[in-house]
Structure formats: C-alpha cells, structure tokens
Amino acid sequence: MGKAVLIPKDDQEKMKELFKINQFNLMASDLIALNRSLPDVRLEGCKTKVYPDELPNTSVVIVFHNEAWSTLLRTVYSVINRSPHYLLSEVILVDDASERDFLKLTLENYVKNLEVPVKIIRMEERSGLIRARLRGAAASKGQVITFLDAHCECTVGWLEPLLARIKEDRKTVVCPIIDVISDDTFEYMAGSDMTYGGFNWKLNFRWYPVPQREMDRRKGDRTLPVRTPTMAGGLFSIDRNYFEEIGTYDAGMDIWGGENLEMSFRIWQCGGSLEIVTCSHVGHVFRKATPYTFPGGTGHVINKNNRRLAEVWMDEFKDFFYIISPGKQF
C-alpha cells in the first residue's frame, strides 16, 4: 500500500553505493513488488464519478535511458493493472540508447508475456527525451497518446478521467495530479489538487497555488479539472490528431529541459487548453540530482532550449527572459 521501505543499518553502506546508480534508493525499489498495491488517494467525489462507455483508446509511451529494472517494470505493471484493457491500445517503451544488458534481450523476453501488447523501440544513438518521445508517438496507434516517465506508478482510476476530458474536447491536453514517490524510501504520498504549473522569468517551471479565480470558475467543486498555465511535462495525455496539428514537439530542442514549457505555450497559442484533471493520480519518483550526462553539460543544453522557446513563442515577452538571464541571446 505504498508504505515506506526502511533499510536495516547493516545495509546502509551498500544502499548508499547503489543510490548513485540512478539517484534514488535502488535497494528499496528492488525490495518492493513490481505490482505493489497503492492507496486510493482520490477525492471522495472522484470515486463515484461515472465516465462514458465510448472513450478513446490510448497508447502509453515511456522513454527510458539506463533505467532501473524495478522502477521501469513497476511503471509498466501499474499501467497494465490499473487501466481498463479495452482503453489501452499498447505500451511503447522507447530505449534512448541504454547500455545496461538487462534492458536489452532480457527486457524483450520479459514483456512478451505481459497481458497488453508492449513494443520496444531502440534509438540508434542517445537522442534525448524529446526525439525519443517523437519516435514513440510516430510508432503508436492509439487515438490518444499518453506520455509517462520511466519511474511512475499509476493509481486506481487514473486513466478514465483523462480520456473522458479529451472526449469532451479533443483540444484539451490533460495531466494527472503528480503524487510523490520518495526517492529515499519509495513511500507513496498524495500530491495536492490546490497547485498548478507556472514559471518564472528564468523559464524555470514552478508549482504555484491555484488562484481564487480558478476556484470560482469551478464553483468550489474540486473534482473538476484545473486550467493550468504550464505543465511539468513528464506525464500528460493528448489527442493524436491535435498533437500532429500543433506540430508535435520541437525536434530542434536537445536532450531534455524546457520542452514542458515549449509544449505548454504551443498548446495555448494553437487553440488548445491545458488542464490538471484532479481525479487522476500518478506517482513519480522525484530525484534531487540527475544520473545522466548531457553533451556540453546540463546548463548548456537547458539554456539553448530556453532561448529557442523564448524566440519562437514569447514575442516581446522574451525581453524579460534576456534581462534576467543576460548573455543568453542568440
């Protein structure tokens, strides 16, 4: 039920060594069942909602690079076990040039026996999250594309409210509430339905309290979706045709960083809207540091992406970014 794993004192040194591999407590993760049970953290009003029978189906696209076996498979099991199978077209795993042996033939053989079709696509060279997601999306068949990170856990009833909202309005792009899975103990902790995504003028994504005007629009019903300026980017569902109409991701952005704001600005400026569906909960392991290397360094890549985002989508408001981040102009 998502309880914390406590490592005995005798194993603490080994635990610290293993932590460095993925920047989370690998020992704790490996002790947990791949299909562990989780609490139902939804608001009471969400548990009794009835959704239409005729919902669009979805392909779930998960990009991974040197991911731990237990976190990757726990993500996949949570999708399969907590999604109605008639709504799940397929799960697509996109391997962004992983080097670990267990992510090759061992993984291919393992997923053959799962209850839902699981396809593995291999990138020929390290391409980063954005281009790997584009490859996964291009290979997918579902009417909706749902992107998840490789260290997530879906909870009961997570999928239907996302698909129901897209059925109502195909230009609405929807995110679940992102719950926290502790990088230390793997405890599952419910996220808040009272925050939404914003950004500062350095173009860093930030969580902010939902303003009163949005509370008023929902007439006090916290089970209704919250319109959000931007999204965290790791977890969202989008109508396939709408994704293509707005030009998908910007393939000129490198590796990772800034693509969540780029996609958010793109959605709002191309006739769509972005919402957090408060009846959908998906957990995510939030790390304090990245275990991955970036060509030229993390800062260089993110700065380049942010400049591109500012130039393409921000018109005269890009000046605020350049004032607060001098020396970053093209």
Side-chain angles (χ1 to χ4, degrees), residues 197-242:
F199 61 96
N200 60 23
W201 289 113
K202 287 187 174 179
L203 298 184
N204 303 130
F205 175 84
R206 290 285 182 270
W207 294 106
Y208 295 99
V210 173
Q212 190 59 47
R213 67 176 182 274
E214 191 63 13
M215 305 292 285
D216 294 343
R217 189 185 68 85
R218 297 155 77 217
K219 298 184 172 63
D221 185 352
R222 287 167 59 190
T223 69
L224 292 177
V226 177
R227 293 182 304 178
T228 183
T230 62
M231 62 170 158
L235 300 73
F236 69 98
S237 296
I238 186 167
D239 176 89
R240 157 191 302 288
N241 291 335
Y242 180 62

Side-chain angles (χ1 to χ4, degrees), residues 101-300:
D101 281 345
F102 61 80
L103 294 172
K104 299 197 163 61
L105 196 58
T106 308
L107 180 63
E108 286 175 24
N109 289 333
Y110 191 93
V111 301
K112 282 176 190 168
N113 299 317
L114 297 175
E115 299 166 50
V116 165
V118 179
K119 186 187 296 180
I120 300 176
I121 295 170
R122 309 278 185 186
M123 303 296 281
E124 295 76 29
E125 57 183 15
R126 181 84 193 282
S127 304
L129 178 76
I130 299 154
R131 291 176 198 129
R133 279 187 165 181
L134 284 171
R135 176 77 72 85
S140 66
K141 299 195 213 61
Q143 295 158 277
V144 168
I145 303 169
T146 298
F147 294 104
L148 295 179
D149 281 344
H151 30 266
C152 288
E153 290 177 62
C154 303
T155 66
V156 62
W158 76 284
L159 184 58
E160 296 93 317
L162 298 176
L163 299 179
R165 188 69 191 98
I166 290 173
K167 180 184 169 70
E168 282 177 3
D169 180 356
R170 71 179 195 92
K171 293 186 177 181
T172 300
V173 180
V174 289
C175 311
I177 288 180
I178 306 177
D179 298 330
V180 175
I181 300 170
S182 166
D183 59 342
D184 183 29
T185 66
F186 274 75
E187 181 181 6
Y188 195 99
M189 295 168 280
S192 172
D193 66 305
M194 304 297 279
T195 58
Y196 72 177
F199 61 96
N200 60 23
W201 289 113
K202 287 187 174 179
L203 298 184
N204 303 130
F205 175 84
R206 290 285 182 270
W207 294 106
Y208 295 99
V210 173
Q212 190 59 47
R213 67 176 182 274
E214 191 63 13
M215 305 292 285
D216 294 343
R217 189 185 68 85
R218 297 155 77 217
K219 298 184 172 63
D221 185 352
R222 287 167 59 190
T223 69
L224 292 177
V226 177
R227 293 182 304 178
T228 183
T230 62
M231 62 170 158
L235 300 73
F236 69 98
S237 296
I238 186 167
D239 176 89
R240 157 191 302 288
N241 291 335
Y242 180 62
F243 185 56
E244 289 170 359
E245 282 165 27
I246 64 173
T248 71
Y249 274 108
D250 178 356
M253 294 181 86
D254 289 335
I255 309 290
W256 171 89
E259 83 290 338
N260 58 322
L261 297 190
E262 198 276 342
M263 180 56 68
S264 303
F265 291 3
R266 180 187 291 266
I267 290 160
W268 283 111
Q269 292 179 63
C270 296
S273 60
L274 186 55
E275 294 180 351
I276 295 169
V277 176
T278 52
C279 284
S280 174
H281 281 259
V282 178
H284 180 272
V285 181
F286 287 94
R287 298 184 278 212
K288 296 174 187 73
T290 176
Y292 310 130
T293 54
F294 290 59
T298 312
H300 169 77

Side-chain angles (χ1 to χ4, degrees), residues 90-105:
E90 63 201 338
V91 176
I92 296 179
L93 302 179
V94 186
D95 172 17
D96 189 19
S98 297
E99 294 123 8
R100 294 174 187 163
D101 281 345
F102 61 80
L103 294 172
K104 299 197 163 61
L105 196 58

Side-chain angles (χ1 to χ4, degrees), residues 309-323:
L309 157 68
E311 291 291 339
V312 173
W313 294 108
M314 292 180 70
D315 298 335
E316 69 274 17
F317 294 100
K318 71 184 179 185
D319 295 341
F320 290 113
F321 168 64
Y322 288 133
I323 288 164

